[in-house]
Amino acid sequence: FMWKWQTQVFPSQDPLDRADFNAVEYINTLFPTEQALEEAQKAIQQLFGKIKDIKDKAEKSEQMVKEITRDIKQLDHAKRHLTTSITTLNHLHMLAGGVDSLEAMTRRRQYGEVANLLQGVVNVLEHFNKYMGIPQIRQLSERVKAAQNELGQQILADFEEAFPSQGTKRPGGPSNVLRDACLVANVLDPRIKQEIIKKFIKQHLSEYLVLFQENQDVAWLDKIDRRYAWIKRQLVDYEEKYGRMFPPEWCMTERIAVEFCHVTRAELAKIMRTRAKEIEVKLLLFAIQRTTNFEGLLAKRFSGCTLADGTVKKPEVPPPSTNPFLEDETGTETDEIVIEKSDMDKPKKPKVPDNPFHGIVSKCFEPHLYVYIESQDKNLGELIDRFVADFKAQGPPKPNVDEGGAVLPSCADLFVYYKKCMVQCSQLSTGEPMIALTTIFQKYLREYAWKILSGNLPKTTSSSGGLTITSLLKEKEGSEVAKFTLEELCLICSILSTAEYCLATTQQLEEKLKEKVDASLVERINLTGEMDTFSIVISNSIQLLVQDLDAACDPALTAMSKMQWQNVEHVGDQSPYVTSVILHIKQNVPIIRDNLASTRKYFTQFCIKFANSFIPKFINHLFKCKPISMVGAEQLLLDTHSLKMVLLDLPSIGSQVVRKAPASYTKIVVKGMTRAEMILKVVMAPHEPPVVFVDNYIKLLADCSNDTFQKILDMKGLKRSEQSSMLDLFRQRLPAPPSGVENTGSLSLSAPTPEQESSRIRKLEKLIKKRL
């Protein structure tokens, strides 16, 4: 099939393409005899001979072409050498003439023409570097070097004559000759230029060294402004008289200012070492402020290209800061910036670009910054003492229900002062003084936490008997438990809010300190301990609020446990003890919630801690209610359900705005109060037959504790003999513990599933509705 398809698409008459092609038959057709074979071999030999002839002729042609091109290449080399020779001769002519002219112009001090000619001569001489072995070329090179040396010495002499080193008066002024000489110096050895600059600046600052000698009155720190006023006048005078004499790329104005800074730093360091005992913090800060202001002025006027490294890095603008601790730090030491929580939402200003002149003079003050650190230690100590005195004099803050808990104003004052100190110190040094200041900050953060916050928390002892909070939690018949007043509750909330603000701001302070300090010292900045201290204050404040409400509910629970529940004849409304508990909750919780409105998470913690404290205590008192009749158990079940509903509503109780309680809180209440309901449900169940009762108990309570089961039996009022048999049966009916787990006598069964728990709650609600 394929063959037929190919013959149709590609028809061919070649016998090799035939389907019935026979190779032997085809060869026999081509060479029928031996003679035909011999003729074919002869034809092949003739073909090889012709190919060899063609190859020989091609080789001869190639050789002929090489002979022709060899002559052409020789002509090309000759032309190139001739061109090079002509060019070299022209350069040699230019070099010889240039050297002659250079020597003549040097003698006549024609520096303007020399500046242009010298550069050309030097460039031409570079072409003869490979010909220095020729005596004539070497001689010209030596003449150029001699001319350069002569020019350098001559220009230095001209400058020395115009600006003598001895004396402070300048006999000469700027001239065109010196201006052109500076252009020549640009071409000469760089040392000539450096020597000119060095001598000129030294002569220019000679008057300064005389006026501000160490023994002069104006040399001390209180008159440091006069130093900077002097250099400002000198720079203006230089620009007017000599601004055009030096090339702009020499940056002479900046060089004069930089050298003035180096000299001033050395002179100030020397005089401060001599008179260290006379340095007071106000004087030191005055001198530092004036100096840093001067350094800032230099940064605005100059680029810093003449500093030690010779390069100025373009400062990178960082992304907007997310740190709310500081706003603008470019102000002076008298700036007052109040730190508020709302600052966290404000756009932050980028960090001010680095000043290349920062520390060029003010570095000399760093060895004396201990005076500043000691002063801040003293000032902060006095500030804390003033906070303590003000609190005692003014009393606790007034209740602030409408706006939420008030943060103590002293807190903002403390951190504003911290900011002021940090900005000041970072302008002076980013090294060890910043670490010393951080240590001072840590010291007074702890003092503030203990003296102002913890120290002003309401005491839990009575004024007469010195009773502790533990004694308040004990049962007291016929008397009311001492409670915190409205003002005391508001004070606790205020202290909690202040501690929370201090905690957040201390963290921001740590981040800002790490930004300010040298990279090598960042690891030494750690305010974790101080943050932990404020966390302890927060925890103690919450615990006080919980203890107060918990203690207020104690008499009601005691009354519940002392009621004769076996004598209850009918189920009515909720019992008086429930009303009492609800009353205390309604009295305390709205006040606490409103005063912790700005710290919602800590109000949630208060609710959770109260639930974790009250519910177990309620269950313990529930076990004390014995014996209980069926009707009494139904009444207790109704009371328990009422308390459960109140506790579930506790976070928003008394509030016009109803919010859903946090899931973490709701879970605790549902779990704890459902257990109380299950206990009562077991008590209500008949204990006959015993097996059913025991199995029902294990199923409902999922508690394999002998003690709990014993308490249930006590609540039912069973006799000891009945209880003994029940306990034996209970131990027999307990599920076997998992392999590898020792039987401790108190195993907990797996918790009921959400569906089971929901079903139990529905049954319980039906029971309560039926009784009501």
Side-chain angles (χ1 to χ4, degrees):
F1 171 78
M2 289 297 297
W3 177 82
K4 290 182 179 180
W5 179 79
Q6 290 177 355
T7 56
Q8 292 175 2
V9 178
F10 304 104
S12 175
Q13 300 299 326
D14 193 335
L16 296 176
D17 293 334
R18 293 171 60 107
D20 56 350
F21 173 73
N22 189 312
V24 175
E25 186 178 333
Y26 180 72
I27 293 173
N28 290 334
T29 303
L30 292 177
F31 306 104
T33 62
E34 293 182 359
Q35 184 180 358
L37 280 171
E38 292 175 356
E39 289 175 356
Q41 291 177 352
K42 289 178 181 180
I44 292 174
Q45 291 175 357
Q46 290 174 0
L47 180 60
F48 275 115
K50 290 179 180 180
I51 293 174
K52 187 175 184 301
D53 291 341
I54 293 172
K55 181 179 179 182
D56 293 341
K57 290 179 180 180
E59 290 177 352
K60 291 179 180 179
S61 299
E62 183 180 1
Q63 185 64 29
M64 187 181 298
V65 170
K66 287 183 178 179
E67 291 176 357
I68 294 172
T69 55
R70 181 167 59 247
D71 297 337
I72 296 175
K73 288 181 180 179
Q74 289 178 352
L75 291 174
D76 287 341
H77 286 309
K79 178 182 178 182
R80 185 162 59 252
H81 292 161
L82 182 60
T83 302
T84 303
S85 300
I86 294 172
T87 303
T88 303
L89 288 174
N90 287 335
H91 286 163
L92 181 60
H93 177 71
M94 293 170 58
L95 180 61
V99 172
D100 292 338
S101 299
L102 183 62
E103 292 173 343
M105 292 176 182
T106 300
R107 289 191 293 272
R108 294 193 297 270
R109 283 181 165 76
Q110 295 175 332
Y111 295 134
E113 292 81 358
V114 168
N116 296 325
L117 179 60
L118 179 58
Q119 186 62 57
V121 169
V122 172
N123 292 339
V124 172
L125 186 59
E126 291 179 355
H127 293 283
F128 292 93
N129 287 337
K130 56 185 176 181
Y131 302 118
M132 287 301 169
I134 302 174
Q136 292 81 357
I137 301 299
R138 185 168 59 252
Q139 183 180 5
L140 286 174
S141 176
E142 292 173 353
R143 288 175 61 188
V144 172
K145 292 180 180 178
Q148 289 176 319
N149 292 335
E150 183 179 354
L151 276 170
Q153 297 302 320
Q154 186 171 296
I155 290 172
L156 289 176
D158 291 344
F159 269 93
E160 180 65 25
E161 181 180 353
F163 306 101
S165 301
Q166 302 297 329
T168 58
K169 294 184 178 180
R170 309 187 193 101
S175 66
N176 293 334
V177 173
L178 295 180
R179 182 187 62 192
D180 294 339
C182 291
L183 298 177
V184 176
N186 270 337
V187 186
L188 296 174
D189 190 322
R191 288 176 294 182
I192 302 298
K193 170 185 171 182
Q194 295 170 3
E195 188 66 21
I196 293 173
I197 294 173
K198 179 180 177 181
K199 287 187 175 182
F200 180 82
I201 294 177
K202 182 178 180 181
Q203 196 277 337
H204 212 71
L205 296 179
S206 59
E207 178 184 351
Y208 173 70
L209 293 174
V210 174
L211 292 176
F212 293 90
Q213 287 182 4
E214 186 177 354
N215 58 358
Q216 297 295 322
D217 184 56
V218 294
W220 189 228
L221 300 180
D222 59 343
K223 296 181 176 61
I224 198 170
D225 278 338
R226 298 191 182 183
R227 294 177 180 267
Y228 305 130
W230 183 89
I231 189 60
K232 291 176 186 177
R233 292 194 301 270
Q234 291 300 311
L235 293 178
V236 172
D237 180 68
Y238 165 81
E239 291 286 354
E240 293 177 353
K241 293 183 179 180
Y242 306 103
R244 298 182 180 180
M245 187 175 76
F246 295 99
E249 63 270 18
W250 286 23
C251 302
M252 285 299 293
T253 309
E254 180 177 324
R255 291 182 184 276
I256 294 172
V258 169
E259 183 60 24
F260 165 82
C261 291
H262 291 324
V263 172
T264 301
R265 184 173 69 184
E267 291 295 315
L268 288 175
K270 183 169 63 174
I271 194 172
M272 283 192 292
R273 282 196 301 270
T274 305
R275 304 172 63 176
K277 294 183 179 180
E278 302 178 37
I279 300 177
E280 298 178 351
V281 65
K282 290 184 178 179
L283 178 62
L284 181 65
L285 290 179
F286 167 79
I288 291 173
Q289 182 187 16
R290 295 297 189 268
T291 301
T292 52
N293 289 345
F294 175 69
E295 291 171 348
L297 183 64
L298 292 179
K300 294 179 181 179
R301 174 66 178 81
F302 305 116
S303 66
C305 61
T306 64
L307 296 177
D309 57 358
T311 59
V312 177
K313 296 181 180 179
K314 184 178 180 180
E316 297 180 359
V317 179
S321 173
T322 58
N323 187 343
F325 182 66
L326 295 178
E327 297 151 344
D328 187 4
E329 299 176 4
T330 59
T332 62
E333 63 178 13
T334 58
D335 291 344
E336 293 185 2
I337 301 177
V338 178
I339 308 164
E340 299 179 354
K341 295 182 181 179
S342 58
D343 292 347
M344 299 177 70
D345 300 326
K346 295 180 180 178
K348 305 302 182 296
K349 297 184 179 180
K351 185 180 178 181
V352 179
D354 292 335
N355 176 2
F357 296 93
H358 176 67
I360 192 170
V361 178
S362 57
K363 195 74 173 177
C364 67
F365 298 111
E366 187 166 327
H368 304 277
L369 286 181
Y370 67 88
V371 176
Y372 172 78
I373 301 299
E374 292 174 354
S375 172
Q376 296 311 319
D377 189 2
K378 179 181 177 183
N379 291 343
L380 282 168
E382 294 174 352
L383 187 64
I384 295 295
D385 291 341
R386 179 167 65 83
F387 290 161
V388 174
D390 290 347
F391 193 94
K392 291 180 179 178
Q394 299 172 6
K398 301 300 180 183
N400 193 9
V401 176
D402 295 334
E403 300 180 5
V407 174
L408 298 180
S410 59
C411 172
D413 294 342
L414 178 66
F415 282 103
V416 166
Y417 191 83
Y418 272 14
K419 172 190 174 176
K420 175 182 174 182
C421 296
M422 182 178 64
V423 174
Q424 279 184 342
C425 192
S426 64
Q427 291 174 347
L428 310 179
S429 171
T430 56
E432 287 295 335
M434 283 291 287
I435 300 298
L437 185 66
T438 301
T439 303
I440 299 298
F441 284 175
Q442 292 174 296
K443 172 183 176 182
Y444 289 102
L445 283 173
R446 291 191 297 269
E447 287 204 11
Y448 185 85
W450 298 124
K451 289 185 178 181
I452 308 299
L453 301 182
S454 291
N456 287 308
L457 283 173
K459 306 304 179 188
T460 56
T461 57
S462 64
S463 58
S464 58
L467 298 176
T468 63
I469 191 67
T470 305
S471 65
L472 291 176
L473 297 178
K474 294 182 178 178
E475 300 174 2
K476 296 174 63 180
E477 296 185 22
S479 64
E480 289 293 331
V481 175
K483 286 183 59 179
F484 289 137
T485 63
L486 172 64
E487 290 75 15
E488 288 175 328
L489 287 176
C490 292
L491 173 60
I492 295 173
C493 294
S494 178
I495 290 175
L496 192 156
S497 299
T498 303
E500 188 269 340
Y501 175 67
C502 290
L503 174 62
T505 313
T506 300
Q507 183 178 2
Q508 297 157 9
L509 172 64
E510 179 186 72
E511 294 171 0
K512 206 62 185 178
L513 285 168
K514 289 182 177 180
E515 291 178 14
K516 295 290 184 183
V517 79
D518 291 342
S520 60
L521 302 176
V522 168
E523 296 299 325
R524 295 172 61 183
I525 304 291
N526 187 349
L527 303 184
T528 304
E530 289 62 44
M531 288 185 273
D532 291 343
T533 300
F534 289 116
S535 297
I536 291 173
V537 175
I538 292 172
S539 179
N540 290 343
S541 300
I542 294 175
Q543 192 61 35
L544 274 180
L545 296 173
V546 171
Q547 287 177 349
D548 180 61
L549 182 55
D550 211 16
C553 296
D554 268 358
L557 296 181
T558 302
M560 176 190 78
S561 63
K562 292 185 178 298
M563 286 181 62
Q564 301 298 320
W565 292 101
Q566 75 274 22
N567 298 330
V568 176
E569 298 179 352
H570 62 276
V571 178
D573 295 335
Q574 64 186 24
S575 302
Y577 75 89
V578 176
T579 304
S580 176
V581 170
I582 295 175
L583 177 63
H584 288 303
I585 290 176
K586 288 183 176 180
Q587 286 177 346
N588 282 31
V589 173
I591 297 172
I592 296 171
R593 181 184 59 242
D594 293 339
N595 279 274
L596 295 182
S598 58
T599 55
R600 189 75 186 177
K601 64 178 180 179
Y602 293 116
F603 173 69
T604 301
Q605 286 189 21
F606 159 76
C607 294
I608 291 174
K609 286 189 176 182
F610 174 72
N612 280 327
S613 175
F614 175 81
I615 294 175
K617 184 179 293 186
F618 172 74
I619 292 176
N620 287 336
H621 281 76
L622 200 61
F623 283 132
K624 296 179 182 179
C625 299
K626 55 186 180 181
I628 303 176
S629 65
M630 176 64 70
V631 178
E634 292 177 356
Q635 179 65 51
L636 276 172
L637 192 60
L638 172 65
D639 295 342
T640 301
H641 184 73
S642 299
L643 285 175
K644 178 181 178 181
M645 293 299 104
V646 170
L647 290 175
L648 287 174
D649 190 47
L650 183 140
S652 60
I653 195 169
S655 174
Q656 295 179 353
V657 180
V658 179
R659 292 183 179 179
K660 186 178 180 181
S664 57
Y665 171 77
T666 302
K667 182 178 179 181
I668 293 172
V669 173
V670 170
K671 182 178 179 181
M673 295 305 290
T674 300
R675 173 176 169 79
E677 291 170 337
M678 292 301 105
I679 290 172
L680 291 172
K681 189 170 182 181
V682 171
V683 172
M684 292 168 59
H687 59 276
E688 295 292 345
V691 174
V692 176
F693 175 77
V694 171
D695 290 345
N696 191 40
Y697 166 83
I698 295 174
K699 179 181 177 181
L700 289 178
L701 286 184
D703 188 343
C704 297
S705 169
N706 290 335
D707 293 339
T708 304
F709 188 69
Q710 176 75 57
K711 292 175 181 177
I712 295 291
L713 299 179
D714 289 339
M715 293 174 71
K716 290 182 69 66
L718 297 181
K719 299 178 181 179
R720 288 299 175 183
S721 58
E722 294 177 309
Q723 290 186 14
S724 178
S725 61
M726 280 286 191
L727 285 171
D728 292 338
L729 181 61
F730 172 71
R731 297 187 186 97
Q732 296 172 6
R733 304 293 292 179
L734 284 177
S739 59
V741 178
E742 295 182 1
N743 186 5
T744 60
S746 179
L747 295 175
S748 294
L749 298 177
S750 59
T753 64
E755 292 78 8
Q756 292 173 335
E757 191 165 329
S758 177
S759 175
R760 294 173 186 172
I761 293 174
R762 286 196 298 269
K763 292 179 181 177
L764 181 63
E765 289 176 348
K766 289 181 181 179
L767 177 63
I768 294 173
K769 289 179 181 178
K770 181 179 179 181
R771 293 300 180 184
L772 291 176

